[in-house]
Amino acid sequence: MIKKERSFPVKLYTLQALLRRLPKHHPKYQSLQDECLRRKAGLKGEQSIDYELSQLHTKEDYIFHDLRLPNREQFFQLDTLLVTKSFIVIIEVKNIAGTVYFDKKFNQLIRSYNGVEEAFSDPLLQIKRQRLHLMELIRLHKFNIPVESLIVFSNPHTLIKASPEYAPHELSNIIHRAELPFRMNLIKDKYQKEIITPKDMKKLSSVLLKYHTHEAISAESFGVRKEDVIRGVHCPPCNYIPMERKRKKWYCTACNDHSKTAHIDSLSDYSLLISNTISNKELRDFLQIPSRCTSLYLLQSMSLESTGATKDKRYLLNLERSSCDCITHRNYAPNKLFW
């Protein structure tokens, strides 16, 4: 049973909005574009194991995707967590093309692809930290259940190598995606005794969902000043900024598209990059609308919740963006190509 669905990452939404609203000559543009591609690949990798996951759990087991849990003053994130009555498994997914080399001497992962070498943080250390943090959290709530962890490479063509300093058991939890069901069977054979009851499973699920916390993201999280964000309504199909407003519609001079609701998409960008509340004046500035009456009309047409009165009135931008970058007006709580 899936207790927490995989959602399209807010961080990826924010990167897409930021790239749309940064000049291409901005010093951060290329690094942000690279990060966006890596995160898209990471999401694709996580989605790619869904079939294998569907084959290896029962209705009594719980699956959680994209958990962000506290550890003292910091947080740790889990791609996928499988909870059974006998054990828990952390599944960390890596979507990497080329050859990967686990270097024990310097605790790093070296990727070789198209003649280029890149160094990344060590996934083995990552899952050790995740396991320790998770065990600390669940034991705090009186749960004592074995926790295993796996590093799953989702790209079947990834060549995995390791330095000879590693003992075989140190690499035993590194697998390709196709091996996941078989490895899970081995773990089930290892832990056959039921440790927690169905009632405790529900309690543990409640603890994990209670402690899950959305990450607060903005343009400044990526080292970009909000003053650098380009203002204006962007065209949803082609991203051109600004669209022009005529006769209660938005018109794009680049692709000739027109829309009555393009401002909602742009206000979602504002909620991701700057703030999830907005005043009439701030809306006029961001959407580049000279008329206060027009901005008030747009705000009222969206039926947004508000606080304050008259000049102090602020509107909550409860806008949700789908993974295909379309906007639906619902309650929203903002929290790789192969790399």
Side-chain angles (χ1 to χ4, degrees):
M1 179 188 304
I2 297 179
K3 301 295 286 187
K4 183 180 180 300
E5 297 280 355
R6 181 184 296 108
S7 57
F8 195 85
V10 174
K11 205 161 201 174
L12 187 49
Y13 277 139
T14 307
L15 277 166
Q16 291 176 335
L18 195 51
L19 289 170
R20 178 163 49 239
R21 292 185 174 274
L22 269 188
K24 287 185 170 54
H25 61 266
H26 190 279
K28 289 276 186 178
Y29 188 89
Q30 187 58 54
S31 62
L32 292 173
Q33 188 175 56
D34 292 342
E35 183 174 354
C36 186
L37 292 173
R38 286 195 296 270
R39 290 188 177 276
K40 284 182 178 179
L43 178 61
K44 183 179 179 182
E46 292 172 32
Q47 293 169 333
S48 72
I49 71 165
D50 283 350
Y51 174 75
E52 283 76 14
L53 285 175
S54 70
Q55 303 301 304
L56 55 83
H57 70 91
T58 67
K59 291 181 179 179
E60 290 76 30
D61 299 335
Y62 292 166
I63 286 184
F64 303 81
H65 293 297
D66 304 323
L67 281 174
R68 183 174 181 264
L69 302 171
N71 178 255
R72 297 184 176 89
E73 301 300 318
Q74 298 181 325
F75 292 87
F76 64 101
Q77 293 186 245
L78 304 174
D79 287 347
T80 295
L81 191 71
L82 174 65
V83 178
T84 76
K85 287 179 279 189
S86 303
F87 59 88
I88 294 174
V89 182
I90 298 169
I91 302 174
E92 179 65 27
V93 184
K94 301 296 181 186
N95 186 10
I96 308 178
T99 299
V100 295
Y101 181 80
F102 286 84
D103 179 10
K104 187 172 185 179
K105 182 177 181 180
F106 298 104
N107 293 118
Q108 62 184 340
L109 182 73
I110 301 172
R111 193 279 294 266
S112 302
Y113 187 59
N114 289 338
V116 178
E117 283 192 342
E118 295 177 84
F120 299 95
S121 57
D122 187 355
L124 288 169
L125 291 181
Q126 179 186 3
I127 60 170
K128 283 181 182 178
R129 288 192 298 269
Q130 290 173 338
R131 181 174 178 271
L132 288 173
H133 295 336
L134 180 63
M135 289 174 65
E136 184 177 342
L137 177 63
I138 62 176
R139 285 175 181 171
L140 182 66
H141 292 271
K142 312 304 181 184
F143 294 102
N144 188 15
I145 183 170
V147 178
E148 295 278 339
S149 53
L150 294 173
I151 299 169
V152 180
F153 283 88
S154 61
N155 184 344
H157 303 294
T158 303
L159 181 61
I160 305 171
K161 296 182 177 182
S163 58
E165 291 86 359
Y166 282 107
H169 73 273
E170 294 179 286
L171 303 172
S172 62
N173 53 357
I174 303 171
I175 62 173
H176 274 112
R177 183 183 75 200
E179 190 184 344
L180 182 57
F182 306 101
R183 181 58 60 89
M184 286 301 305
N185 286 333
L186 291 177
I187 296 175
K188 288 178 180 178
D189 290 341
K190 181 179 177 181
Y191 302 106
Q192 296 186 21
K193 181 182 177 181
E194 291 188 0
I195 305 295
I196 57 177
T197 65
K199 183 178 179 181
D200 286 334
M201 285 268 290
K202 292 180 180 179
K203 288 181 180 178
L204 178 54
S205 173
S206 297
V207 167
L208 294 172
L209 294 174
K210 174 186 174 182
Y211 279 97
H212 169 68
T213 307
H214 290 285
E215 186 176 7
I217 304 292
S218 67
E220 294 176 345
S221 304
F222 297 97
V224 175
R225 301 180 309 157
K226 61 182 180 181
E227 292 81 12
D228 294 340
V229 174
I230 297 173
R231 267 61 174 165
V233 174
H234 74 270
C235 174
C238 77
N239 287 335
Y240 177 79
I241 303 175
M243 297 184 82
E244 296 180 0
R245 186 164 180 81
K246 299 176 183 177
R247 298 180 296 279
K248 295 187 178 183
K249 288 185 180 180
W250 299 100
Y251 291 86
C252 178
T253 58
C255 71
N256 295 320
D257 190 66
H258 60 84
S259 168
K260 288 184 177 180
T261 58
H263 57 281
I264 301 178
D265 202 336
S266 291
L267 287 176
S268 179
D269 284 0
Y270 183 94
S271 72
L272 290 166
L273 300 176
I274 298 175
S275 172
N276 66 346
T277 66
I278 195 168
S279 66
N280 189 309
K281 183 178 183 299
E282 289 166 342
L283 182 140
R284 295 199 308 273
D285 174 65
F286 188 74
L287 298 186
Q288 298 291 282
I289 299 172
S291 168
R292 187 180 186 280
C293 291
T294 299
S295 60
L296 184 60
Y297 165 78
L298 294 177
L299 286 166
Q300 291 174 342
S301 70
M302 292 185 288
S303 302
L304 300 173
E305 295 178 37
S306 62
T307 59
T310 59
K311 291 184 179 180
D312 297 323
K313 196 167 190 176
R314 299 194 66 80
Y315 298 85
L316 175 63
L317 296 174
N318 53 337
L319 309 169
E320 183 176 353
R321 184 188 298 271
S322 73
S323 60
C324 61
D325 256 359
C326 299
I327 297 293
T328 55
H329 188 187
R330 297 165 52 193
N331 290 332
Y332 173 49
N335 89 12
K336 206 169 184 192
L337 302 175
F338 298 120
W339 57 283

Short mmCIF file of all heavy atoms in Angstrom, two decimals, residues 163-201:
data_model
loop_
_atom_site.label_atom_id
_atom_site.label_comp_id
_atom_site.label_asym_id
_atom_site.label_seq_id
_atom_site.Cartn_x
_atom_site.Cartn_y
_atom_site.Cartn_z
N SER A 163 36.97 0.29 -6.11
CA SER A 163 38.38 0.13 -5.78
C SER A 163 38.58 -1.16 -4.99
O SER A 163 37.69 -1.60 -4.25
CB SER A 163 38.88 1.34 -4.99
OG SER A 163 38.14 1.52 -3.80
N PRO A 164 39.74 -1.80 -5.12
CA PRO A 164 39.98 -3.10 -4.49
C PRO A 164 40.00 -3.06 -2.97
O PRO A 164 39.95 -4.11 -2.32
CB PRO A 164 41.35 -3.51 -5.04
CG PRO A 164 42.00 -2.22 -5.47
CD PRO A 164 40.88 -1.34 -5.93
N GLU A 165 40.05 -1.87 -2.37
CA GLU A 165 40.07 -1.78 -0.91
C GLU A 165 38.75 -2.21 -0.28
O GLU A 165 38.69 -2.51 0.91
CB GLU A 165 40.38 -0.34 -0.47
CG GLU A 165 41.80 0.11 -0.76
CD GLU A 165 41.95 0.67 -2.18
OE1 GLU A 165 40.94 0.67 -2.91
OE2 GLU A 165 43.06 1.12 -2.53
N TYR A 166 37.68 -2.23 -1.06
CA TYR A 166 36.38 -2.63 -0.52
C TYR A 166 36.31 -4.14 -0.30
O TYR A 166 36.75 -4.92 -1.16
CB TYR A 166 35.25 -2.25 -1.47
CG TYR A 166 34.86 -0.79 -1.44
CD1 TYR A 166 35.20 0.06 -2.49
CD2 TYR A 166 34.11 -0.28 -0.39
CE1 TYR A 166 34.82 1.39 -2.48
CE2 TYR A 166 33.73 1.05 -0.36
CZ TYR A 166 34.09 1.89 -1.41
OH TYR A 166 33.71 3.20 -1.38
N ALA A 167 35.78 -4.54 0.84
CA ALA A 167 35.44 -5.95 1.05
C ALA A 167 34.12 -6.24 0.34
O ALA A 167 33.30 -5.34 0.18
CB ALA A 167 35.31 -6.23 2.55
N PRO A 168 33.90 -7.48 -0.11
CA PRO A 168 32.67 -7.79 -0.86
C PRO A 168 31.39 -7.38 -0.13
O PRO A 168 30.45 -6.89 -0.76
CB PRO A 168 32.76 -9.31 -1.03
CG PRO A 168 34.22 -9.60 -1.03
CD PRO A 168 34.82 -8.63 -0.05
N HIS A 169 31.34 -7.57 1.20
CA HIS A 169 30.10 -7.25 1.92
C HIS A 169 29.81 -5.75 1.92
O HIS A 169 28.66 -5.34 2.07
CB HIS A 169 30.17 -7.77 3.36
CG HIS A 169 31.08 -6.99 4.25
ND1 HIS A 169 32.43 -7.25 4.35
CD2 HIS A 169 30.85 -5.93 5.08
CE1 HIS A 169 32.99 -6.41 5.20
NE2 HIS A 169 32.06 -5.59 5.65
N GLU A 170 30.86 -4.92 1.74
CA GLU A 170 30.65 -3.47 1.75
C GLU A 170 29.93 -3.00 0.49
O GLU A 170 29.38 -1.90 0.46
CB GLU A 170 31.99 -2.75 1.87
CG GLU A 170 32.70 -2.96 3.19
CD GLU A 170 34.03 -2.24 3.25
OE1 GLU A 170 34.99 -2.71 2.61
OE2 GLU A 170 34.11 -1.18 3.93
N LEU A 171 29.96 -3.82 -0.55
CA LEU A 171 29.33 -3.45 -1.83
C LEU A 171 28.06 -4.24 -2.09
O LEU A 171 27.45 -4.11 -3.16
CB LEU A 171 30.32 -3.69 -2.98
CG LEU A 171 31.67 -2.97 -2.87
CD1 LEU A 171 32.62 -3.46 -3.97
CD2 LEU A 171 31.49 -1.46 -2.96
N SER A 172 27.65 -5.06 -1.11
CA SER A 172 26.55 -5.98 -1.35
C SER A 172 25.20 -5.29 -1.53
O SER A 172 24.26 -5.89 -2.06
CB SER A 172 26.46 -6.99 -0.20
OG SER A 172 26.20 -6.31 1.03
N ASN A 173 25.08 -4.04 -1.07
CA ASN A 173 23.78 -3.37 -1.21
C ASN A 173 23.73 -2.44 -2.43
O ASN A 173 22.86 -1.59 -2.54
CB ASN A 173 23.42 -2.60 0.05
CG ASN A 173 24.52 -1.65 0.49
OD1 ASN A 173 25.58 -1.60 -0.12
ND2 ASN A 173 24.27 -0.90 1.55
N ILE A 174 24.67 -2.60 -3.37
CA ILE A 174 24.66 -1.86 -4.64
C ILE A 174 24.13 -2.80 -5.72
O ILE A 174 24.72 -3.86 -5.97
CB ILE A 174 26.06 -1.36 -5.02
CG1 ILE A 174 26.65 -0.50 -3.90
CG2 ILE A 174 26.02 -0.59 -6.33
CD1 ILE A 174 28.12 -0.16 -4.12
N ILE A 175 23.03 -2.44 -6.35
CA ILE A 175 22.42 -3.33 -7.34
C ILE A 175 21.90 -2.53 -8.54
O ILE A 175 21.74 -1.32 -8.47
CB ILE A 175 21.26 -4.14 -6.74
CG1 ILE A 175 20.14 -3.20 -6.27
CG2 ILE A 175 21.74 -5.03 -5.61
CD1 ILE A 175 18.87 -3.93 -5.80
N HIS A 176 21.64 -3.26 -9.63
CA HIS A 176 20.90 -2.69 -10.75
C HIS A 176 19.40 -2.88 -10.50
O HIS A 176 18.99 -3.76 -9.71
CB HIS A 176 21.29 -3.37 -12.06
CG HIS A 176 22.48 -2.76 -12.72
ND1 HIS A 176 23.68 -3.42 -12.83
CD2 HIS A 176 22.66 -1.54 -13.31
CE1 HIS A 176 24.55 -2.64 -13.46
NE2 HIS A 176 23.95 -1.50 -13.76
N ARG A 177 18.61 -2.10 -11.18
CA ARG A 177 17.16 -2.11 -10.99
C ARG A 177 16.55 -3.50 -11.15
O ARG A 177 15.69 -3.92 -10.36
CB ARG A 177 16.51 -1.15 -11.98
CG ARG A 177 15.01 -1.00 -11.84
CD ARG A 177 14.48 -0.08 -12.92
NE ARG A 177 14.43 -0.73 -14.21
CZ ARG A 177 14.37 -0.09 -15.38
NH1 ARG A 177 14.40 1.22 -15.42
NH2 ARG A 177 14.31 -0.76 -16.50
N ALA A 178 17.00 -4.25 -12.15
CA ALA A 178 16.42 -5.56 -12.43
C ALA A 178 16.61 -6.54 -11.28
O ALA A 178 15.84 -7.50 -11.14
CB ALA A 178 17.03 -6.13 -13.71
N GLU A 179 17.61 -6.30 -10.44
CA GLU A 179 17.89 -7.21 -9.33
C GLU A 179 17.02 -6.92 -8.11
O GLU A 179 16.98 -7.73 -7.16
CB GLU A 179 19.37 -7.11 -8.94
CG GLU A 179 19.82 -8.20 -7.97
CD GLU A 179 21.27 -8.02 -7.52
OE1 GLU A 179 22.01 -7.26 -8.18
OE2 GLU A 179 21.63 -8.63 -6.51
N LEU A 180 16.32 -5.81 -8.10
CA LEU A 180 15.60 -5.37 -6.91
C LEU A 180 14.62 -6.43 -6.36
O LEU A 180 14.65 -6.73 -5.15
CB LEU A 180 14.87 -4.06 -7.19
CG LEU A 180 14.10 -3.43 -6.03
CD1 LEU A 180 15.01 -3.18 -4.83
CD2 LEU A 180 13.45 -2.11 -6.47
N PRO A 181 13.77 -7.04 -7.18
CA PRO A 181 12.84 -8.04 -6.62
C PRO A 181 13.56 -9.23 -5.98
O PRO A 181 13.14 -9.74 -4.94
CB PRO A 181 12.01 -8.48 -7.83
CG PRO A 181 12.13 -7.35 -8.80
CD PRO A 181 13.51 -6.81 -8.61
N PHE A 182 14.66 -9.66 -6.60
CA PHE A 182 15.39 -10.80 -6.08
C PHE A 182 16.10 -10.45 -4.77
O PHE A 182 16.15 -11.26 -3.84
CB PHE A 182 16.38 -11.30 -7.13
CG PHE A 182 15.75 -11.60 -8.46
CD1 PHE A 182 15.85 -10.70 -9.51
CD2 PHE A 182 15.02 -12.76 -8.65
CE1 PHE A 182 15.27 -10.95 -10.73
CE2 PHE A 182 14.42 -13.03 -9.87
CZ PHE A 182 14.53 -12.13 -10.91
N ARG A 183 16.66 -9.24 -4.69
CA ARG A 183 17.30 -8.82 -3.46
C ARG A 183 16.28 -8.69 -2.32
O ARG A 183 16.56 -9.01 -1.17
CB ARG A 183 18.03 -7.49 -3.68
CG ARG A 183 18.77 -6.98 -2.44
CD ARG A 183 19.79 -8.01 -1.94
NE ARG A 183 20.78 -8.32 -2.94
CZ ARG A 183 21.93 -7.64 -3.09
NH1 ARG A 183 22.19 -6.64 -2.26
NH2 ARG A 183 22.78 -7.98 -4.02
N MET A 184 15.09 -8.22 -2.66
CA MET A 184 14.05 -8.10 -1.64
C MET A 184 13.66 -9.47 -1.10
O MET A 184 13.40 -9.63 0.10
CB MET A 184 12.83 -7.39 -2.22
CG MET A 184 13.02 -5.90 -2.41
SD MET A 184 13.42 -5.03 -0.87
CE MET A 184 12.05 -5.54 0.15
N ASN A 185 13.66 -10.49 -1.96
CA ASN A 185 13.35 -11.84 -1.49
C ASN A 185 14.40 -12.32 -0.50
O ASN A 185 14.08 -13.01 0.48
CB ASN A 185 13.25 -12.79 -2.67
CG ASN A 185 11.97 -12.61 -3.46
OD1 ASN A 185 10.96 -12.16 -2.92
ND2 ASN A 185 12.00 -12.94 -4.74
N LEU A 186 15.67 -11.98 -0.75
CA LEU A 186 16.74 -12.35 0.18
C LEU A 186 16.55 -11.67 1.54
O LEU A 186 16.78 -12.27 2.59
CB LEU A 186 18.10 -11.99 -0.41
CG LEU A 186 18.56 -12.79 -1.63
CD1 LEU A 186 19.89 -12.25 -2.14
CD2 LEU A 186 18.69 -14.27 -1.28
N ILE A 187 16.15 -10.40 1.50
CA ILE A 187 15.92 -9.67 2.75
C ILE A 187 14.74 -10.29 3.50
O ILE A 187 14.77 -10.44 4.73
CB ILE A 187 15.68 -8.18 2.46
CG1 ILE A 187 16.95 -7.55 1.86
CG2 ILE A 187 15.29 -7.44 3.74
CD1 ILE A 187 16.78 -6.11 1.42
N LYS A 188 13.70 -10.68 2.77
CA LYS A 188 12.54 -11.32 3.42
C LYS A 188 12.93 -12.64 4.06
O LYS A 188 12.45 -12.99 5.15
CB LYS A 188 11.42 -11.53 2.39
CG LYS A 188 10.72 -10.26 1.96
CD LYS A 188 9.65 -10.55 0.92
CE LYS A 188 8.96 -9.26 0.48
NZ LYS A 188 7.94 -9.50 -0.56
N ASP A 189 13.81 -13.39 3.39
CA ASP A 189 14.29 -14.65 3.97
C ASP A 189 15.11 -14.40 5.23
O ASP A 189 15.10 -15.20 6.17
CB ASP A 189 15.14 -15.41 2.94
CG ASP A 189 14.31 -15.96 1.79
OD1 ASP A 189 13.08 -16.08 1.95
OD2 ASP A 189 14.90 -16.24 0.73
N LYS A 190 15.82 -13.28 5.25
CA LYS A 190 16.67 -12.94 6.40
C LYS A 190 15.84 -12.54 7.62
O LYS A 190 16.20 -12.85 8.76
CB LYS A 190 17.62 -11.80 6.00
CG LYS A 190 18.58 -11.37 7.08
CD LYS A 190 19.48 -10.26 6.55
CE LYS A 190 20.42 -9.75 7.63
NZ LYS A 190 21.28 -8.64 7.11
N TYR A 191 14.73 -11.85 7.37
CA TYR A 191 13.88 -11.36 8.47
C TYR A 191 12.49 -11.96 8.33
O TYR A 191 11.58 -11.33 7.79
CB TYR A 191 13.80 -9.84 8.45
CG TYR A 191 15.13 -9.14 8.54
CD1 TYR A 191 15.69 -8.52 7.43
CD2 TYR A 191 15.83 -9.09 9.74
CE1 TYR A 191 16.91 -7.86 7.51
CE2 TYR A 191 17.06 -8.44 9.84
CZ TYR A 191 17.59 -7.83 8.72
OH TYR A 191 18.79 -7.19 8.80
N GLN A 192 12.31 -13.17 8.79
CA GLN A 192 11.01 -13.84 8.65
C GLN A 192 10.09 -13.59 9.84
O GLN A 192 8.87 -13.72 9.73
CB GLN A 192 11.24 -15.34 8.46
CG GLN A 192 11.98 -15.68 7.18
CD GLN A 192 12.07 -17.17 6.94
OE1 GLN A 192 11.30 -17.95 7.49
NE2 GLN A 192 13.02 -17.59 6.11
N LYS A 193 10.66 -13.24 10.96
CA LYS A 193 9.87 -13.02 12.16
C LYS A 193 9.20 -11.65 12.13
O LYS A 193 9.85 -10.65 11.86
CB LYS A 193 10.74 -13.15 13.40
CG LYS A 193 9.99 -12.97 14.71
CD LYS A 193 10.94 -13.06 15.90
CE LYS A 193 10.19 -12.82 17.20
NZ LYS A 193 11.11 -12.88 18.38
N GLU A 194 7.90 -11.61 12.43
CA GLU A 194 7.20 -10.34 12.49
C GLU A 194 7.59 -9.60 13.77
O GLU A 194 7.48 -10.14 14.87
CB GLU A 194 5.69 -10.55 12.43
CG GLU A 194 5.21 -11.05 11.07
CD GLU A 194 3.70 -11.08 10.96
OE1 GLU A 194 3.02 -10.70 11.94
OE2 GLU A 194 3.20 -11.48 9.90
N ILE A 195 8.02 -8.35 13.61
CA ILE A 195 8.52 -7.56 14.73
C ILE A 195 7.44 -6.63 15.28
O ILE A 195 7.33 -6.43 16.49
CB ILE A 195 9.75 -6.73 14.32
CG1 ILE A 195 10.84 -7.63 13.73
CG2 ILE A 195 10.28 -5.90 15.48
CD1 ILE A 195 11.42 -8.61 14.72
N ILE A 196 6.65 -6.06 14.38
CA ILE A 196 5.61 -5.12 14.80
C ILE A 196 4.25 -5.58 14.29
O ILE A 196 4.14 -6.26 13.27
CB ILE A 196 5.90 -3.68 14.32
CG1 ILE A 196 6.04 -3.61 12.79
CG2 ILE A 196 7.15 -3.13 15.00
CD1 ILE A 196 6.27 -2.20 12.27
N THR A 197 3.23 -5.18 15.01
CA THR A 197 1.86 -5.57 14.68
C THR A 197 1.28 -4.62 13.62
O THR A 197 1.82 -3.53 13.38
CB THR A 197 0.98 -5.50 15.93
OG1 THR A 197 0.90 -4.13 16.37
CG2 THR A 197 1.55 -6.37 17.05
N PRO A 198 0.18 -5.01 12.99
CA PRO A 198 -0.49 -4.09 12.05
C PRO A 198 -0.84 -2.75 12.71
O PRO A 198 -0.76 -1.70 12.07
CB PRO A 198 -1.74 -4.85 11.64
CG PRO A 198 -1.36 -6.29 11.78
CD PRO A 198 -0.46 -6.34 12.97
N LYS A 199 -1.22 -2.78 13.98
CA LYS A 199 -1.53 -1.54 14.70
C LYS A 199 -0.29 -0.67 14.82
O LYS A 199 -0.35 0.55 14.62
CB LYS A 199 -2.08 -1.88 16.08
CG LYS A 199 -2.51 -0.67 16.89
CD LYS A 199 -3.09 -1.08 18.23
CE LYS A 199 -3.50 0.14 19.05
NZ LYS A 199 -4.05 -0.25 20.38
N ASP A 200 0.87 -1.29 15.12
CA ASP A 200 2.12 -0.54 15.21
C ASP A 200 2.55 -0.02 13.84
O ASP A 200 3.17 1.04 13.75
CB ASP A 200 3.22 -1.41 15.82
CG ASP A 200 3.04 -1.61 17.31
OD1 ASP A 200 2.42 -0.73 17.93
OD2 ASP A 200 3.52 -2.63 17.84
N MET A 201 2.24 -0.78 12.79
CA MET A 201 2.54 -0.31 11.43
C MET A 201 1.83 1.01 11.17
O MET A 201 2.42 1.95 10.62
CB MET A 201 2.08 -1.35 10.40
CG MET A 201 2.95 -2.58 10.31
SD MET A 201 4.23 -2.46 9.05
CE MET A 201 3.26 -2.53 7.56
#
